mmCIF file of all heavy atoms in Angstrom:
data_model
loop_
_atom_site.group_PDB
_atom_site.id
_atom_site.type_symbol
_atom_site.label_atom_id
_atom_site.label_comp_id
_atom_site.label_asym_id
_atom_site.label_seq_id
_atom_site.Cartn_x
_atom_site.Cartn_y
_atom_site.Cartn_z
ATOM 1 N N LYS A 1 0.820 -1.211 -0.026
ATOM 2 C CA LYS A 1 -0.031 0.004 0.033
ATOM 3 C C LYS A 1 0.818 1.271 0.018
ATOM 4 O O LYS A 1 0.561 2.177 0.731
ATOM 5 C CB LYS A 1 -0.968 -0.007 1.181
ATOM 6 C CG LYS A 1 -1.965 -1.132 1.100
ATOM 7 C CD LYS A 1 -2.973 -1.056 2.246
ATOM 8 C CE LYS A 1 -3.970 -2.179 2.153
ATOM 9 N NZ LYS A 1 -5.044 -2.110 3.195
ATOM 10 N N PHE A 2 1.877 1.318 -0.836
ATOM 11 C CA PHE A 2 2.641 2.483 -0.971
ATOM 12 C C PHE A 2 1.779 3.575 -1.691
ATOM 13 O O PHE A 2 1.038 3.305 -2.562
ATOM 14 C CB PHE A 2 3.934 2.242 -1.868
ATOM 15 C CG PHE A 2 4.854 1.254 -1.304
ATOM 16 C CD1 PHE A 2 5.082 0.003 -1.895
ATOM 17 C CD2 PHE A 2 5.510 1.515 -0.095
ATOM 18 C CE1 PHE A 2 5.990 -0.877 -1.348
ATOM 19 C CE2 PHE A 2 6.408 0.578 0.445
ATOM 20 C CZ PHE A 2 6.606 -0.593 -0.172
ATOM 21 N N PRO A 3 1.938 4.796 -1.214
ATOM 22 C CA PRO A 3 1.075 5.896 -1.795
ATOM 23 C C PRO A 3 1.428 6.249 -3.246
ATOM 24 O O PRO A 3 0.659 6.884 -3.934
ATOM 25 C CB PRO A 3 1.264 7.067 -0.795
ATOM 26 C CG PRO A 3 2.626 6.867 -0.261
ATOM 27 C CD PRO A 3 2.775 5.326 -0.158
ATOM 28 N N ARG A 4 2.678 6.030 -3.555
ATOM 29 C CA ARG A 4 3.154 6.301 -4.909
ATOM 30 C C ARG A 4 4.384 5.446 -5.254
ATOM 31 O O ARG A 4 4.863 4.770 -4.346
ATOM 32 C CB ARG A 4 3.530 7.821 -5.103
ATOM 33 C CG ARG A 4 4.361 8.315 -3.929
ATOM 34 C CD ARG A 4 4.396 9.841 -3.897
ATOM 35 N NE ARG A 4 4.961 10.352 -2.689
ATOM 36 C CZ ARG A 4 4.326 10.504 -1.541
ATOM 37 N NH1 ARG A 4 3.090 10.137 -1.476
ATOM 38 N NH2 ARG A 4 4.935 11.040 -0.488
ATOM 39 N N THR A 5 4.750 5.431 -6.501
ATOM 40 C CA THR A 5 5.883 4.537 -6.884
ATOM 41 C C THR A 5 7.191 5.333 -6.713
ATOM 42 O O THR A 5 7.406 6.407 -7.283
ATOM 43 C CB THR A 5 5.701 4.131 -8.401
ATOM 44 O OG1 THR A 5 4.455 3.448 -8.521
ATOM 45 C CG2 THR A 5 6.817 3.311 -8.828
ATOM 46 N N LYS A 6 8.120 4.720 -6.000
ATOM 47 C CA LYS A 6 9.454 5.297 -5.793
ATOM 48 C C LYS A 6 10.453 4.100 -5.891
ATOM 49 O O LYS A 6 10.223 3.135 -5.254
ATOM 50 C CB LYS A 6 9.625 6.027 -4.503
ATOM 51 C CG LYS A 6 8.685 7.221 -4.323
ATOM 52 C CD LYS A 6 9.055 8.374 -5.256
ATOM 53 C CE LYS A 6 8.233 9.564 -4.967
ATOM 54 N NZ LYS A 6 8.613 10.710 -5.880
ATOM 55 N N ARG A 7 11.495 4.278 -6.619
ATOM 56 C CA ARG A 7 12.503 3.189 -6.733
ATOM 57 C C ARG A 7 13.910 3.719 -6.462
ATOM 58 O O ARG A 7 14.200 4.884 -6.608
ATOM 59 C CB ARG A 7 12.446 2.611 -8.196
ATOM 60 C CG ARG A 7 11.054 2.324 -8.673
ATOM 61 C CD ARG A 7 11.103 1.443 -9.916
ATOM 62 N NE ARG A 7 11.562 0.072 -9.682
ATOM 63 C CZ ARG A 7 10.865 -0.877 -9.267
ATOM 64 N NH1 ARG A 7 9.609 -0.761 -8.989
ATOM 65 N NH2 ARG A 7 11.361 -2.082 -8.952
ATOM 66 N N LEU A 8 14.676 2.800 -6.032
ATOM 67 C CA LEU A 8 16.105 3.190 -5.631
ATOM 68 C C LEU A 8 16.847 3.686 -6.797
ATOM 69 O O LEU A 8 17.691 4.597 -6.608
ATOM 70 C CB LEU A 8 16.783 1.938 -5.030
ATOM 71 C CG LEU A 8 16.361 1.495 -3.660
ATOM 72 C CD1 LEU A 8 17.017 0.218 -3.230
ATOM 73 C CD2 LEU A 8 16.671 2.602 -2.610
ATOM 74 N N GLU A 9 16.659 3.150 -8.005
ATOM 75 C CA GLU A 9 17.441 3.641 -9.130
ATOM 76 C C GLU A 9 17.109 5.086 -9.514
ATOM 77 O O GLU A 9 17.823 5.696 -10.222
ATOM 78 C CB GLU A 9 17.216 2.712 -10.357
ATOM 79 C CG GLU A 9 15.754 2.457 -10.705
ATOM 80 C CD GLU A 9 15.295 1.187 -10.062
ATOM 81 O OE1 GLU A 9 15.671 0.784 -8.962
ATOM 82 O OE2 GLU A 9 14.415 0.520 -10.774
ATOM 83 N N ASP A 10 16.007 5.606 -9.025
ATOM 84 C CA ASP A 10 15.542 7.003 -9.342
ATOM 85 C C ASP A 10 15.994 7.951 -8.210
ATOM 86 O O ASP A 10 15.731 9.155 -8.290
ATOM 87 C CB ASP A 10 14.044 7.062 -9.505
ATOM 88 C CG ASP A 10 13.544 6.226 -10.629
ATOM 89 O OD1 ASP A 10 14.265 6.120 -11.638
ATOM 90 O OD2 ASP A 10 12.456 5.677 -10.429
ATOM 91 N N PHE A 11 16.735 7.406 -7.179
ATOM 92 C CA PHE A 11 17.125 8.251 -6.079
ATOM 93 C C PHE A 11 18.589 8.686 -6.202
ATOM 94 O O PHE A 11 19.454 7.871 -6.337
ATOM 95 C CB PHE A 11 16.902 7.433 -4.747
ATOM 96 C CG PHE A 11 17.183 8.161 -3.458
ATOM 97 C CD1 PHE A 11 16.275 9.084 -3.023
ATOM 98 C CD2 PHE A 11 18.326 8.105 -2.806
ATOM 99 C CE1 PHE A 11 16.425 9.905 -1.876
ATOM 100 C CE2 PHE A 11 18.537 8.800 -1.677
ATOM 101 C CZ PHE A 11 17.587 9.687 -1.178
ATOM 102 N N ASP A 12 18.814 9.960 -6.046
ATOM 103 C CA ASP A 12 20.148 10.560 -6.179
ATOM 104 C C ASP A 12 20.805 10.534 -4.802
ATOM 105 O O ASP A 12 20.699 11.450 -4.045
ATOM 106 C CB ASP A 12 20.097 11.974 -6.715
ATOM 107 C CG ASP A 12 21.439 12.539 -6.996
ATOM 108 O OD1 ASP A 12 22.428 11.794 -6.831
ATOM 109 O OD2 ASP A 12 21.565 13.727 -7.288
ATOM 110 N N HIS A 13 21.395 9.430 -4.481
ATOM 111 C CA HIS A 13 21.967 9.224 -3.089
ATOM 112 C C HIS A 13 23.187 10.105 -2.935
ATOM 113 O O HIS A 13 23.582 10.318 -1.741
ATOM 114 C CB HIS A 13 22.347 7.747 -2.854
ATOM 115 C CG HIS A 13 23.454 7.265 -3.737
ATOM 116 N ND1 HIS A 13 24.752 7.476 -3.541
ATOM 117 C CD2 HIS A 13 23.363 6.646 -4.976
ATOM 118 C CE1 HIS A 13 25.469 6.926 -4.479
ATOM 119 N NE2 HIS A 13 24.630 6.401 -5.415
ATOM 120 N N ALA A 14 23.800 10.611 -3.921
ATOM 121 C CA ALA A 14 24.949 11.473 -3.834
ATOM 122 C C ALA A 14 24.658 12.752 -3.123
ATOM 123 O O ALA A 14 25.582 13.397 -2.587
ATOM 124 C CB ALA A 14 25.534 11.757 -5.208
ATOM 125 N N THR A 15 23.413 13.127 -3.030
ATOM 126 C CA THR A 15 23.024 14.404 -2.353
ATOM 127 C C THR A 15 23.009 14.251 -0.857
ATOM 128 O O THR A 15 22.806 15.239 -0.142
ATOM 129 C CB THR A 15 21.679 14.875 -2.867
ATOM 130 O OG1 THR A 15 20.724 13.895 -2.523
ATOM 131 C CG2 THR A 15 21.666 15.163 -4.352
ATOM 132 N N ILE A 16 23.127 13.047 -0.361
ATOM 133 C CA ILE A 16 23.060 12.790 1.101
ATOM 134 C C ILE A 16 24.439 12.259 1.508
ATOM 135 O O ILE A 16 24.816 11.108 1.242
ATOM 136 C CB ILE A 16 21.981 11.727 1.464
ATOM 137 C CG1 ILE A 16 20.578 12.266 0.943
ATOM 138 C CG2 ILE A 16 21.961 11.481 2.936
ATOM 139 C CD1 ILE A 16 19.472 11.286 1.242
ATOM 140 N N ALA A 17 25.140 13.114 2.258
ATOM 141 C CA ALA A 17 26.495 12.765 2.727
ATOM 142 C C ALA A 17 26.514 11.573 3.612
ATOM 143 O O ALA A 17 27.497 10.813 3.675
ATOM 144 C CB ALA A 17 27.167 13.942 3.339
ATOM 145 N N ASP A 18 25.446 11.369 4.346
ATOM 146 C CA ASP A 18 25.331 10.306 5.305
ATOM 147 C C ASP A 18 24.895 8.913 4.700
ATOM 148 O O ASP A 18 24.648 7.993 5.426
ATOM 149 C CB ASP A 18 24.293 10.683 6.397
ATOM 150 C CG ASP A 18 24.581 9.904 7.688
ATOM 151 O OD1 ASP A 18 25.713 9.526 7.965
ATOM 152 O OD2 ASP A 18 23.637 9.687 8.480
ATOM 153 N N LEU A 19 24.850 8.865 3.340
ATOM 154 C CA LEU A 19 24.395 7.638 2.683
ATOM 155 C C LEU A 19 25.427 7.334 1.542
ATOM 156 O O LEU A 19 25.156 7.476 0.406
ATOM 157 C CB LEU A 19 23.011 7.912 2.083
ATOM 158 C CG LEU A 19 22.345 6.633 1.499
ATOM 159 C CD1 LEU A 19 22.143 5.531 2.467
ATOM 160 C CD2 LEU A 19 21.024 7.056 0.842
ATOM 161 N N PRO A 20 26.582 6.754 2.043
ATOM 162 C CA PRO A 20 27.544 6.307 0.914
ATOM 163 C C PRO A 20 26.982 5.162 0.108
ATOM 164 O O PRO A 20 26.084 4.467 0.567
ATOM 165 C CB PRO A 20 28.766 5.878 1.766
ATOM 166 C CG PRO A 20 28.230 5.582 3.154
ATOM 167 C CD PRO A 20 27.084 6.470 3.305
ATOM 168 N N PRO A 21 27.488 4.963 -1.114
ATOM 169 C CA PRO A 21 27.009 3.911 -1.990
ATOM 170 C C PRO A 21 27.021 2.552 -1.315
ATOM 171 O O PRO A 21 26.066 1.710 -1.549
ATOM 172 C CB PRO A 21 27.937 3.982 -3.177
ATOM 173 C CG PRO A 21 28.454 5.368 -3.209
ATOM 174 C CD PRO A 21 28.517 5.821 -1.788
ATOM 175 N N ALA A 22 28.069 2.254 -0.504
ATOM 176 C CA ALA A 22 28.075 0.881 0.110
ATOM 177 C C ALA A 22 26.958 0.686 1.084
ATOM 178 O O ALA A 22 26.435 -0.418 1.199
ATOM 179 C CB ALA A 22 29.441 0.706 0.850
ATOM 180 N N THR A 23 26.624 1.738 1.795
ATOM 181 C CA THR A 23 25.474 1.628 2.797
ATOM 182 C C THR A 23 24.158 1.408 2.046
ATOM 183 O O THR A 23 23.359 0.585 2.435
ATOM 184 C CB THR A 23 25.405 2.953 3.639
ATOM 185 O OG1 THR A 23 26.616 3.070 4.374
ATOM 186 C CG2 THR A 23 24.264 2.890 4.571
ATOM 187 N N LEU A 24 23.927 2.230 0.966
ATOM 188 C CA LEU A 24 22.741 2.021 0.202
ATOM 189 C C LEU A 24 22.685 0.664 -0.392
ATOM 190 O O LEU A 24 21.611 -0.011 -0.457
ATOM 191 C CB LEU A 24 22.637 3.123 -0.883
ATOM 192 C CG LEU A 24 21.387 3.137 -1.693
ATOM 193 C CD1 LEU A 24 20.153 3.324 -0.831
ATOM 194 C CD2 LEU A 24 21.452 4.153 -2.790
ATOM 195 N N ALA A 25 23.782 0.191 -0.912
ATOM 196 C CA ALA A 25 23.781 -1.200 -1.526
ATOM 197 C C ALA A 25 23.454 -2.202 -0.486
ATOM 198 O O ALA A 25 22.712 -3.238 -0.733
ATOM 199 C CB ALA A 25 25.151 -1.486 -2.114
ATOM 200 N N HIS A 26 23.998 -2.088 0.738
ATOM 201 C CA HIS A 26 23.696 -3.014 1.787
ATOM 202 C C HIS A 26 22.201 -3.031 2.139
ATOM 203 O O HIS A 26 21.516 -4.033 2.301
ATOM 204 C CB HIS A 26 24.465 -2.764 2.997
ATOM 205 C CG HIS A 26 24.136 -3.499 4.234
ATOM 206 N ND1 HIS A 26 24.269 -4.883 4.349
ATOM 207 C CD2 HIS A 26 23.425 -3.127 5.423
ATOM 208 C CE1 HIS A 26 23.828 -5.327 5.509
ATOM 209 N NE2 HIS A 26 23.296 -4.317 6.193
ATOM 210 N N LEU A 27 21.606 -1.810 2.309
ATOM 211 C CA LEU A 27 20.217 -1.658 2.578
ATOM 212 C C LEU A 27 19.348 -2.248 1.542
ATOM 213 O O LEU A 27 18.287 -2.843 1.784
ATOM 214 C CB LEU A 27 19.859 -0.192 2.832
ATOM 215 C CG LEU A 27 20.479 0.556 4.011
ATOM 216 C CD1 LEU A 27 20.138 1.972 4.009
ATOM 217 C CD2 LEU A 27 20.002 -0.177 5.355
ATOM 218 N N ALA A 28 19.747 -2.140 0.255
ATOM 219 C CA ALA A 28 19.013 -2.655 -0.867
ATOM 220 C C ALA A 28 18.922 -4.207 -0.774
ATOM 221 O O ALA A 28 17.973 -4.718 -1.287
ATOM 222 C CB ALA A 28 19.595 -2.156 -2.170
ATOM 223 N N THR A 29 19.901 -4.884 -0.200
ATOM 224 C CA THR A 29 19.774 -6.300 -0.210
ATOM 225 C C THR A 29 18.728 -6.818 0.808
ATOM 226 O O THR A 29 18.237 -7.939 0.633
ATOM 227 C CB THR A 29 21.150 -6.925 0.320
ATOM 228 O OG1 THR A 29 21.380 -6.558 1.607
ATOM 229 C CG2 THR A 29 22.328 -6.402 -0.589
ATOM 230 N N GLY A 30 18.374 -5.994 1.775
ATOM 231 C CA GLY A 30 17.347 -6.377 2.736
ATOM 232 C C GLY A 30 17.852 -7.318 3.797
ATOM 233 O O GLY A 30 17.060 -7.759 4.642
ATOM 234 N N ALA A 31 19.198 -7.457 3.943
ATOM 235 C CA ALA A 31 19.747 -8.263 4.971
ATOM 236 C C ALA A 31 19.419 -7.722 6.353
ATOM 237 O O ALA A 31 19.234 -8.544 7.338
ATOM 238 C CB ALA A 31 21.332 -8.377 4.797
ATOM 239 N N TRP A 32 19.354 -6.439 6.442
ATOM 240 C CA TRP A 32 18.983 -5.799 7.757
ATOM 241 C C TRP A 32 17.575 -6.205 8.159
ATOM 242 O O TRP A 32 17.272 -6.352 9.371
ATOM 243 C CB TRP A 32 19.143 -4.294 7.685
ATOM 244 C CG TRP A 32 18.363 -3.677 6.612
ATOM 245 C CD1 TRP A 32 18.557 -3.654 5.275
ATOM 246 C CD2 TRP A 32 17.075 -2.952 6.721
ATOM 247 N NE1 TRP A 32 17.594 -3.012 4.572
ATOM 248 C CE2 TRP A 32 16.698 -2.550 5.432
ATOM 249 C CE3 TRP A 32 16.320 -2.629 7.851
ATOM 250 C CZ2 TRP A 32 15.448 -1.884 5.285
ATOM 251 C CZ3 TRP A 32 15.165 -1.898 7.656
ATOM 252 C CH2 TRP A 32 14.762 -1.542 6.337
ATOM 253 N N ILE A 33 16.668 -6.387 7.228
ATOM 254 C CA ILE A 33 15.268 -6.852 7.583
ATOM 255 C C ILE A 33 15.298 -8.270 8.078
ATOM 256 O O ILE A 33 14.634 -8.564 9.031
ATOM 257 C CB ILE A 33 14.479 -6.695 6.262
ATOM 258 C CG1 ILE A 33 14.449 -5.319 5.688
ATOM 259 C CG2 ILE A 33 13.019 -7.194 6.573
ATOM 260 C CD1 ILE A 33 13.803 -5.177 4.324
ATOM 261 N N ASP A 34 16.052 -9.112 7.411
ATOM 262 C CA ASP A 34 16.214 -10.500 7.893
ATOM 263 C C ASP A 34 16.702 -10.552 9.307
ATOM 264 O O ASP A 34 16.389 -11.489 10.101
ATOM 265 C CB ASP A 34 17.055 -11.353 6.920
ATOM 266 C CG ASP A 34 16.451 -11.409 5.545
ATOM 267 O OD1 ASP A 34 15.234 -11.215 5.420
ATOM 268 O OD2 ASP A 34 17.265 -11.556 4.581
ATOM 269 N N ALA A 35 17.571 -9.597 9.713
ATOM 270 C CA ALA A 35 18.205 -9.544 11.005
ATOM 271 C C ALA A 35 17.323 -8.842 12.034
ATOM 272 O O ALA A 35 17.672 -8.759 13.180
ATOM 273 C CB ALA A 35 19.556 -8.894 10.946
ATOM 274 N N GLY A 36 16.219 -8.292 11.574
ATOM 275 C CA GLY A 36 15.286 -7.550 12.467
ATOM 276 C C GLY A 36 15.816 -6.247 12.916
ATOM 277 O O GLY A 36 15.466 -5.739 13.987
ATOM 278 N N GLU A 37 16.686 -5.618 12.096
ATOM 279 C CA GLU A 37 17.267 -4.375 12.520
ATOM 280 C C GLU A 37 16.383 -3.196 12.083
ATOM 281 O O GLU A 37 15.855 -3.134 10.917
ATOM 282 C CB GLU A 37 18.663 -4.218 11.901
ATOM 283 C CG GLU A 37 19.621 -5.267 12.363
ATOM 284 C CD GLU A 37 20.886 -5.324 11.559
ATOM 285 O OE1 GLU A 37 20.981 -4.651 10.486
ATOM 286 O OE2 GLU A 37 21.786 -6.064 11.994
ATOM 287 N N PRO A 38 16.302 -2.107 12.877
ATOM 288 C CA PRO A 38 15.528 -0.901 12.487
ATOM 289 C C PRO A 38 16.339 -0.022 11.533
ATOM 290 O O PRO A 38 17.529 -0.096 11.465
ATOM 291 C CB PRO A 38 15.276 -0.168 13.830
ATOM 292 C CG PRO A 38 15.754 -1.114 14.930
ATOM 293 C CD PRO A 38 16.746 -2.047 14.295
ATOM 294 N N LEU A 39 15.587 0.850 10.837
ATOM 295 C CA LEU A 39 16.151 1.867 10.038
ATOM 296 C C LEU A 39 15.482 3.201 10.350
ATOM 297 O O LEU A 39 14.168 3.258 10.387
ATOM 298 C CB LEU A 39 15.988 1.555 8.541
ATOM 299 C CG LEU A 39 16.281 2.649 7.535
ATOM 300 C CD1 LEU A 39 17.760 3.007 7.567
ATOM 301 C CD2 LEU A 39 15.786 2.263 6.103
ATOM 302 N N VAL A 40 16.250 4.208 10.627
ATOM 303 C CA VAL A 40 15.645 5.515 10.991
ATOM 304 C C VAL A 40 16.208 6.583 10.024
ATOM 305 O O VAL A 40 17.404 6.751 9.826
ATOM 306 C CB VAL A 40 15.985 5.917 12.397
ATOM 307 C CG1 VAL A 40 15.307 7.283 12.774
ATOM 308 C CG2 VAL A 40 15.529 4.824 13.433
ATOM 309 N N LEU A 41 15.282 7.255 9.354
ATOM 310 C CA LEU A 41 15.639 8.374 8.432
ATOM 311 C C LEU A 41 15.176 9.668 9.040
ATOM 312 O O LEU A 41 14.090 9.885 9.320
ATOM 313 C CB LEU A 41 14.903 8.126 7.100
ATOM 314 C CG LEU A 41 15.153 6.830 6.455
ATOM 315 C CD1 LEU A 41 14.197 6.653 5.168
ATOM 316 C CD2 LEU A 41 16.573 6.636 5.976
#
């Protein structure tokens, strides 16, 4: 039930200094979800 379509490939992560490519790539795998870890933006 997402209110609109948003995809990672359309997100310019370079504008966020706190989000290096390696961190975004890790989050994209969903391993943190399998581990039950929270994410706070």
